Amino acid sequence: MLKPVTTDIEALKTLEERLRWLSAWTIHHANHIRPNDDGLKVGGHQASCASMTAIMAALYFHSLGPNDRVAVKPHAGPVLHAIHYLLGSQSREALENFRGLGGAQSYPSRTKDKIPVDFSTGSVGLGVAITLFASLIQDYLTAHGRMNADDRGRFVALIGDAELDEGNIYEAIIEGAKHDVRNLWWIIDYNRQSLDATSADRMFERFDEIFRSCGWRVVELRYGKRLQDALNANPKLKGWFERLSNAELSALHYQGGTVWRSRIEAGVGKSAAAFLKQHDDAALASLFTDLGGHCMETLVEAFDAADDDVPTLFIAWTIKGYGLPFAGHKDNHAGLMNPTQMAAWREAMGVREGHEWDPLESVGDNARPGAEAVLERSRIALEKRDRSFGTVSVPAIPAPTGDEQSTQAAFGRILLDLSKAGGELADRIVTTSPDVTVSTNLGAWVNQRGLFRRAEIADIFAKEKIASTQKWSATNKGQHIELGIAESNLFLMLAAAGLSGDLFGERLFPIGTLYDPFIARGLDALNYACYQDARFLLVATPSGITLGPEGGAHQSINPPLIALGQPGLRHYEPAYADELAAMMEEAFRLIDDPDGESTYLRLSTRGIRQIERTDDTWRDGALAGGYWLREPGPNAEAAIVAMGAVMPEALAAWEELRGDIPDLGLLSVTSPDLLHRGWTAAQAARWGGERKPSHVEQLLSRLAPAAGLVTLADAAPASLSWLGGVLGQRVAPLGVEKFGQTGSLTDLYAAYRLDGDAITEAAAEILLPFRM
Ligand SMILES: Cc1ncc(C[n+]2csc(CCOP(=O)(O)OP(=O)(O)O)c2C)c(N)n1
Ligand SMILES: [Mg+2]
């Protein structure tokens, strides 16, 4: 880490004031000055920003080096923008357009903001935990010889104290402890306020214990220098101060000097008389704001002292709304200074009217050179290495052979074959799974490529010659990162590994496996990964009710609907092994394509007879979302439309019905998601004058305009029923609307109406109007 040679505390204090001013002014401008044409509150969090300006000034203008990466507390976004404004890497226009279209974003965004943002934040807790997984990926890349030690950095999370209630943080630190995670600084803005009110006193010192037991160093920055001295000189006063509840302390910060005085008189008594005499009301109020997180000397000292790689939690005591009129008020979370308050505060901050955006406004001639020098040093210290990275060639992936296969088994075979064949793609694949490696068929790959751990772990069972199909030893060259059962961690790991190109200049091809229903467990983290444009392959298996007797809560119904509404994630659901091979090849290509995305493969353990192909014409259709497995005739009144593991039922029904329904077609849908996207995109293009029918329109226009569709999926029927809306065809949707029943496949398909009888009945119903 590259640090400034000397520490100019006064300059850092000056810059802190500028950050406090500029962040508040950016929010004020958006709410009170910029024209507002829809009457909606623009919003912003002046109090949450003021709480962190000293911490962020110390960090960005003193401690950070070019390889360090930071996740900024979402509500301190304007402070990050102000930092870049002072450094010259953010424009005034973007600040003036804060929360407007194309302007500085409300919460730091990797993909939408113009300034460099290392990690997007917004959904509290996730931005914290991703730094831990990014650090593990840095260790992985270093161990694999893909990163120089000099390019390694530290991962910093700036955390609101209420974020500590998010369970995903603890799931992450438990996983981190197992992997001996390093190079983390998590800095808590301990203002003891959340959104609704002040936070619970009972958690005081509990968080420390949790972190310590996971191997963290905990550094509490409770007092600034001035307050520390004053309280050390007066133990009774200190005792009284430390007994104040969160709510009492916040209220005092809001109420100010007169009330501090009367409370101290009542609470400490005579022994505080001399102290009170030495301080007038203003001095009292000012002294008690000198908490650790607002004292530059304290912050700089603490950051300098944590110069090793031990994961460190800093608990920096702060005041929410520090220096603003609503400091400490429990309702200040979304509070905005009104124009009168802002004008008074502007005066107090020494900012001239009309000069509000001047970067170093109010900085006197004496202080200016120091502040400019610190900014210049920080510009150099923070300059990032150019991290453009080359593309990786994705080889053709052959389909595994075998008359009868399940897509899950085929997935395992494809990875095994890739591993055996070797090559750049195989070497850059990193797999990960939350304790379902074996049951999602990653086992053969892991046997080949090994588990990853920085420190070697022997396979005791193998050493003792106890028979097992699965090798379970770990080295620092392994390519599988085994996780505990915490699906949120899986998605954060995929997010971090899926950003490895941008973060570290080295592309990885991350593959994560889990059971399809448990996507819901980590859904926000999955959304978070996609929101940041992380690239990965998610393999969800088994899925639906097709897993048979296992039944119960392991059945999944709605993930295809989730995928339908999830930007940045492409859903494929293959029926056959050759489709899966094509999809995996496409998924790898999309990971490396600047305009690509992540892929979600929904697979099954059901072995099904593979289809005989006469040519490759199905392939493009399968990758585009669907193809005619059995072509409709020229006068088709109906088609069966099926997806994934239920294809044998659809084929059998097609055989049985085609005598009665001439020209009957069978459409295999491989991605409702892509079909839907193509449909809406074609509509949007038509408004722009381009008249090209989408893939789904082309497929369905092979049927008569009033034809009927029987749709069939081992998923929510709505996954496919929308197809009727494309050309106005009638639909009889079959699918799963309840779950939780165990049974054989035959029993379950009959009970849930996914069998041949159900298809026949649905076809009859849909054809009735034709035949009457
Ligand atoms: C997952 C999630 N739940 C709820 C919110 C809404 N929310 C935004 S900030 C906040 C309170 C944050 O308090 P804290 O983390 O202490 O931040 P600060 O006091 O510094 O503003 C809440 C509940 C959110 N952004 N994300
Ligand atoms: Mg807080």
Side-chain angles (χ1 to χ4, degrees):
M1 270 134 272
L2 223 152
K3 294 221 178 98
V5 195
T6 54
T7 304
D8 188 341
I9 294 289
E10 286 313 311
L12 291 175
K13 286 184 186 170
T14 303
L15 293 174
E16 181 280 321
E17 279 196 16
R18 298 309 305 143
L19 295 182
R20 194 146 37 97
W21 165 260
L22 283 166
S23 55
W25 176 251
T26 301
I27 296 166
H28 182 79
H29 180 275
N31 283 278
H32 292 289
I33 297 175
R34 192 171 76 212
N36 179 339
D37 55 14
D38 57 16
L40 284 179
K41 179 182 173 181
V42 178
H45 301 84
Q46 290 171 330
S48 304
C49 287
S51 190
M52 282 226 98
T53 44
I55 294 170
M56 288 178 74
L59 202 61
Y60 280 85
F61 300 137
H62 174 71
S63 296
L64 290 183
N67 299 319
D68 299 335
R69 305 281 165 184
V70 190
V72 176
K73 177 184 86 167
H75 301 78
V79 183
L80 182 66
H81 290 290
I83 286 170
H84 281 281
Y85 184 60
L86 291 183
L87 291 171
S89 38
Q90 176 58 296
S91 68
R92 173 168 163 180
E93 292 69 43
L95 296 188
E96 285 177 335
N97 198 12
F98 173 62
R99 292 190 168 216
L101 188 67
Q105 299 293 294
S106 44
Y107 308 120
S109 164
R110 284 182 57 83
T111 52
K112 306 284 188 307
D113 271 317
K114 309 270 186 313
I115 57 168
V117 171
D118 299 326
F119 301 102
S120 303
T121 52
S123 180
V124 298
L126 296 177
V128 180
I130 194 176
T131 59
L132 183 148
F133 292 95
S135 179
L136 291 178
I137 292 298
Q138 175 172 271
D139 281 342
Y140 179 93
L141 288 169
T142 317
H144 281 247
R146 296 193 184 279
M147 255 184 95
N148 294 330
D150 292 354
D151 291 335
R152 295 164 57 83
R154 182 174 277 141
F155 297 84
V156 183
L158 300 172
I159 312 173
D161 56 321
E163 289 192 71
L164 288 173
D165 285 331
E166 288 287 4
N168 82 278
I169 290 183
Y170 305 97
E171 292 184 351
I173 62 172
I174 289 169
E175 196 60 54
K178 294 183 202 165
H179 290 268
D180 192 17
V181 71
R182 308 178 283 176
N183 295 308
L184 288 173
W185 276 7
W186 283 7
I187 306 170
I188 297 173
D189 173 358
Y190 193 58
N191 60 27
R192 295 148 284 107
Q193 281 184 240
S194 59
L195 187 155
D196 284 333
T198 50
S199 38
D201 297 287
R202 290 186 66 110
M203 284 313 290
F204 181 64
E205 287 181 352
R206 292 290 170 275
F207 293 122
D208 320 25
E209 291 165 16
I210 298 172
F211 276 80
R212 281 202 181 94
S213 69
C214 284
W216 288 60
R217 169 173 53 211
V218 179
V219 178
E220 189 177 0
L221 309 176
R222 183 160 187 172
Y223 298 116
K225 301 281 178 200
R226 278 193 304 140
L227 185 55
Q228 178 85 69
D229 289 347
L231 294 181
N232 283 351
N234 199 326
K236 280 209 172 139
L237 180 63
K238 187 173 187 195
W240 170 83
F241 183 86
E242 294 191 345
R243 282 191 300 277
L244 291 172
S245 68
N246 289 341
E248 286 167 330
L249 184 53
S250 290
L252 279 166
H253 285 309
Y254 177 69
Q255 287 163 304
T258 326
V259 183
W260 275 109
R261 182 174 303 281
S262 58
R263 287 292 147 77
I264 293 171
E265 277 165 354
V268 186
K270 277 206 270 329
S271 60
F275 165 80
L276 288 176
K277 232 178 168 181
Q278 287 157 9
H279 296 83
D280 63 15
D281 286 355
L284 266 188
S286 156
L287 178 68
F288 284 108
T289 62
D290 187 37
L291 300 179
H294 298 303
C295 172
M296 201 55 76
E297 290 91 336
T298 302
L299 288 165
V300 163
E301 254 176 49
F303 292 162
D304 283 354
D307 207 19
D308 50 19
D309 65 5
V310 178
T312 303
L313 180 77
F314 296 95
I315 303 178
W317 282 61
T318 55
I319 298 163
K320 190 155 174 171
Y322 173 77
L324 308 185
F326 42 55
H329 196 294
K330 72 175 178 58
D331 303 337
N332 67 10
H333 182 74
L336 296 173
M337 283 183 270
N338 64 33
T340 315
Q341 288 172 315
M342 193 67 188
W345 191 58
R346 182 179 54 69
E347 287 283 322
M349 295 291 280
V351 173
R352 294 164 297 164
E353 210 171 349
H355 292 262
E356 293 88 350
W357 290 113
D358 293 4
L360 292 185
E361 171 66 2
S362 85
V363 180
D365 288 346
N366 289 344
R368 206 166 263 260
E372 279 170 350
V374 168
L375 287 177
E376 184 52 29
R377 278 201 309 255
S378 307
R379 265 178 219 120
I380 296 164
L382 294 172
E383 201 168 313
K384 303 263 188 257
R385 179 164 71 84
D386 184 7
R387 288 180 192 273
S388 63
F389 47 99
T391 53
V392 177
S393 74
V394 174
I397 294 185
T401 50
D403 292 344
E404 191 152 302
Q405 298 188 58
S406 73
T407 47
Q408 175 173 319
F411 163 69
R413 285 268 305 281
I414 290 171
L415 271 188
L416 175 63
D417 292 345
L418 256 176
S419 173
K420 284 183 173 161
E424 167 116 65
L425 173 67
D427 290 347
R428 286 179 183 269
I429 287 176
V430 54
T431 55
T432 182
S433 184
D435 201 21
V436 287
T437 298
V438 175
S439 50
T440 56
N441 276 52
L442 269 180
W445 160 267
V446 175
N447 277 344
Q448 281 269 317
R449 295 279 168 159
L451 293 164
F452 172 75
R453 275 296 161 97
R454 268 199 299 128
E456 213 153 294
I457 300 177
D459 182 344
I460 299 295
F461 279 71
K463 268 193 163 166
E464 298 293 331
K465 303 209 172 6
I466 300 173
S468 165
T469 50
Q470 191 65 58
K471 293 183 200 157
W472 210 250
S473 59
T475 68
N476 70 355
K477 293 291 179 284
Q479 283 180 251
H480 174 76
I481 305 180
E482 178 74 3
L483 300 172
I485 327 168
E487 286 70 17
S488 174
N489 281 346
L490 170 75
F491 292 117
L492 289 167
M493 177 62 94
L494 290 175
L499 290 174
S500 64
D502 293 333
L503 290 176
F504 306 109
E506 286 291 336
R507 168 64 79 204
L508 289 175
F509 291 80
I511 302 178
T513 67
L514 85 172
Y515 299 171
D516 196 49
F518 303 132
I519 286 178
R521 262 294 179 106
L523 198 51
D524 196 22
L526 170 61
N527 178 53
Y528 179 64
C530 295
Y531 171 61
Q532 305 203 66
D533 199 23
R535 300 293 177 78
F536 52 86
L537 170 58
L538 174 65
V539 178
T541 185
S543 60
I545 61 167
T546 302
L547 53 98
E550 182 108 6
H554 282 44
Q555 296 168 342
S556 67
I557 295 180
N558 65 8
L561 294 179
I562 291 170
L564 205 53
Q566 179 63 58
L569 188 70
R570 173 181 300 199
H571 167 209
Y572 278 134
E573 187 151 345
Y576 300 111
D578 55 2
E579 294 171 357
L580 173 67
M583 290 164 184
M584 286 177 68
E585 191 180 315
E586 183 72 353
F588 290 134
R589 203 188 54 70
L590 288 167
I591 285 177
D592 211 22
D593 179 346
D595 299 318
E597 60 183 329
S598 293
T599 301
Y600 152 54
L601 287 172
R602 189 169 185 258
L603 306 186
S604 166
T605 42
R606 183 187 190 192
I608 65 175
R609 176 150 293 282
Q610 300 296 291
I611 204 90
E612 285 197 15
R613 310 277 192 195
T614 47
D615 56 35
D616 262 358
T617 49
W618 58 273
R619 200 174 191 276
D620 288 348
L623 292 180
Y627 65 101
W628 286 105
L629 192 60
R630 296 288 179 257
E631 298 277 339
N635 301 305
E637 293 173 358
I640 299 171
V641 180
M643 176 166 76
V646 289
M647 207 55 75
E649 279 63 33
L651 265 172
W654 179 83
E655 287 288 353
E656 196 175 308
L657 292 173
R658 71 194 173 119
D660 291 340
I661 311 172
D663 292 343
L664 178 71
L666 170 54
L667 181 65
S668 166
V669 170
T670 50
S671 175
D673 179 24
L674 282 186
L675 293 182
H676 198 283
R677 283 196 228 175
W679 177 39
T680 52
Q683 282 181 345
R686 284 200 276 275
W687 297 331
E690 199 187 318
R691 310 204 70 79
K692 189 168 174 288
S694 62
H695 184 53
V696 68
E697 288 165 316
Q698 288 176 28
L699 287 169
L700 294 177
S701 62
R702 298 277 305 278
L703 306 172
L709 310 173
V710 176
T711 63
L712 179 73
D714 183 358
S719 314
L720 297 179
S721 61
W722 62 270
L723 286 165
V726 176
L727 298 181
Q729 291 152 336
R730 281 163 308 113
V731 176
L734 299 175
V736 186
E737 285 172 294
K738 292 189 188 128
F739 72 105
Q741 178 62 56
T742 55
S744 70
L745 216 53
T746 316
D747 289 344
L748 288 175
Y749 278 8
Y752 289 102
R753 298 192 75 242
L754 289 180
D755 62 358
D757 287 351
I759 299 173
T760 306
E761 279 166 26
E765 186 175 314
I766 216 151
L767 286 174
L768 221 51
F770 265 110
R771 303 282 162 89
M772 277 197 311

